[in-house]
Amino acid sequence: MDQIYIAYTFKVVPKEPATEILIAELGFAGFESFVENENGVTAYIQQKDWTASILEDIHILTSDEFKISYQKEIIKQTNWNSEWEKNFNPIQVDDLVSVRAPFHKNPNLKYDIVIEPKMSFGTGHHETTHMMLQHLLDLKLEGKKVLDMGCGTGILAIFSEMKGAKSIDAIDIDRWCYENAIENAARNKCEQISVFEGDVSLLKDKKYDVIIANINRNILLNDIKQYVNSLYKEGVLLLSGFYKQDIPIIDKEVAKYGLKLTKTIERNNWVALKYLK
C-alpha cells in the first residue's frame, strides 16, 4: 500500500518568529516534516496519523499577533520525488561534510554523501541531520559497531562507514525508507551497512558501541530503555528529532538508566543530545 501524506501549506504574516513557533506546535501534534519557504512553511503528516481535529490545539493559529492561513492537500508517495527535488538544498557541515543529490555540484569537502531520497526531506530533517553529523564528526568510529535507528535515507549510517565503523545496522519501520537506505548505501559504495525493516524489537540480544536515534520524541521515550540495553559499557547514545523544550523530559528518561548528558547541539530550536553510558 502506498504511503500517503497530508500537506498543510501555511502562509504566515509576519513570518518570524511565528513560523518557528508554528513548526514547534505542529511537531508536538505529530507532523513529521517541514519545508520552509518565503511565505511560511509546508508541514507534512502521514494520513494514518491525521485526524480532522489535528489543528485544534495549534494555539498560534488563533493568536491576534499573527495572520496565518493555510491550504490542505493529499500527497501520494509517487509525488515525493518532485516534492523533495523542488525543496531539497544540499547540506554542508563544518566545511567537512556535504550531503547532496546527484544533480548538485560536488563541493569537494572531505566527506561527500550522495543521496536520492524517496520521501520528504523537510527543514526539520535538515536541522537534526546536520547536528547528528556534527556529533559523529567528533567521535572516533574506527572499528566500532554502530546502530542508525530510524535511518530514513541512510545518511548517518553512510557517514559512520565513511568514518571507519566496521559494522553498521540501519533500521527503519517504513518500507519506503528501508528500500531507499539500501539504494543510498550502494550509491555511496558502502560495504559495512546492513539495512533492516522493523522497529526496536530487532535489537534483542544486539550490542553496539554507538547508537544513533533521530526519531520523534514519543518514539524515543518509548524506546530509550532498549537503546540503553543495547549499548556496550562506555557506549555513546545520540538522540535527536525533537525541540529544545523537550530536553527535560528526554533527559529525565535517559537518566533513569544511569547515562550522562555530555554534549548538546542546538540549531533553530531543534536539538541533538550526546549521552555516555
Side-chain angles (χ1 to χ4, degrees), residues 156-266:
L156 301 177
I158 292 165
F159 186 53
S160 296
E161 176 161 339
M162 288 181 173
K163 286 210 66 189
K166 70 175 182 180
S167 173
I168 305 106
D169 286 345
I171 298 175
D172 205 292
I173 197 170
D174 188 290
R175 179 75 181 184
W176 207 229
C177 295
Y178 162 75
E179 294 176 351
N180 193 210
I182 292 174
E183 293 173 2
N184 285 325
R187 182 173 285 108
N188 289 272
K189 297 180 173 56
C190 294
E191 298 179 349
Q192 307 302 322
I193 297 174
S194 300
V195 184
F196 302 93
E197 181 182 3
D199 58 18
V200 73
S201 63
L202 295 178
L203 303 187
K204 185 178 180 181
D205 299 325
K206 291 193 173 184
K207 290 285 188 179
Y208 302 93
D209 299 293
V210 178
I211 293 179
I212 308 160
N214 185 11
I215 318 178
N216 71 56
R217 183 190 70 163
N218 292 337
I219 293 176
L220 289 176
L221 289 171
N222 185 68
D223 294 349
I224 281 171
K225 181 179 180 180
Q226 183 59 60
Y227 299 155
V228 176
N229 289 340
S230 296
L231 264 183
Y232 286 123
K233 186 177 180 181
E234 300 183 354
V236 174
L237 175 63
L238 301 177
L239 302 178
S240 192
F242 49 93
Y243 303 101
K244 183 178 180 180
Q245 53 265 41
D246 295 320
I247 292 177
I249 190 171
I250 294 288
D251 192 52
K252 182 179 179 181
E253 182 65 22
V254 179
K256 288 181 183 178
Y257 308 102
L259 274 68
K260 294 183 179 180
L261 178 61
T262 61
K263 185 175 181 179
T264 300
I265 300 176
E266 180 182 349

Side-chain angles (χ1 to χ4, degrees), residues 17-234:
T19 299
E20 181 178 322
I21 298 169
L22 176 61
I23 289 174
E25 290 197 43
L26 292 170
F28 282 123
F31 286 80
E32 64 180 53
S33 190
F34 308 92
V35 176
E36 290 191 56
N37 55 59
E38 61 182 10
N39 297 314
V41 64
T42 299
Y44 299 94
I45 186 169
Q46 289 191 47
Q47 188 177 57
K48 66 181 180 63
D49 297 325
W50 178 85
T51 65
S53 60
I54 192 75
L55 298 183
E56 286 185 1
D57 293 327
I58 309 302
H59 301 297
I60 194 172
L61 296 180
T62 58
S63 171
D64 294 332
E65 297 181 52
F66 311 105
K67 183 179 179 181
I68 304 176
S69 58
Y70 64 87
Q71 293 181 325
K72 178 171 76 77
E73 65 177 322
I74 295 175
I75 300 180
K76 291 187 176 180
Q77 191 171 21
T78 52
N79 299 129
W80 279 122
N81 279 351
S82 62
E83 286 298 309
W84 73 258
E85 191 164 322
K86 286 188 297 184
N87 296 294
F88 173 34
N89 294 315
I91 302 171
Q92 292 191 17
V93 180
D94 299 343
D95 294 324
L96 290 170
V97 187
S98 60
V99 181
R100 62 184 179 90
F103 55 81
H104 290 135
K105 182 179 179 181
N106 186 346
N108 295 312
L109 302 185
K110 182 176 181 180
Y111 302 101
D112 181 44
I113 303 170
V114 180
I115 64 164
E116 195 158 349
K118 287 188 174 181
M119 58 183 293
S120 173
F121 198 89
T123 302
H125 191 75
H126 274 82
E127 306 294 353
T128 57
T129 302
H130 188 285
M131 293 184 293
M132 288 299 231
L133 289 169
Q134 286 181 300
H135 275 306
L136 290 171
L137 269 171
D138 285 342
L139 293 178
K140 293 182 178 180
L141 297 181
E142 293 85 355
K144 301 292 187 181
K145 292 185 65 177
V146 176
L147 168 67
D148 182 4
M149 193 72 198
C151 62
T153 55
I155 291 171
L156 301 177
I158 292 165
F159 186 53
S160 296
E161 176 161 339
M162 288 181 173
K163 286 210 66 189
K166 70 175 182 180
S167 173
I168 305 106
D169 286 345
I171 298 175
D172 205 292
I173 197 170
D174 188 290
R175 179 75 181 184
W176 207 229
C177 295
Y178 162 75
E179 294 176 351
N180 193 210
I182 292 174
E183 293 173 2
N184 285 325
R187 182 173 285 108
N188 289 272
K189 297 180 173 56
C190 294
E191 298 179 349
Q192 307 302 322
I193 297 174
S194 300
V195 184
F196 302 93
E197 181 182 3
D199 58 18
V200 73
S201 63
L202 295 178
L203 303 187
K204 185 178 180 181
D205 299 325
K206 291 193 173 184
K207 290 285 188 179
Y208 302 93
D209 299 293
V210 178
I211 293 179
I212 308 160
N214 185 11
I215 318 178
N216 71 56
R217 183 190 70 163
N218 292 337
I219 293 176
L220 289 176
L221 289 171
N222 185 68
D223 294 349
I224 281 171
K225 181 179 180 180
Q226 183 59 60
Y227 299 155
V228 176
N229 289 340
S230 296
L231 264 183
Y232 286 123
K233 186 177 180 181
E234 300 183 354

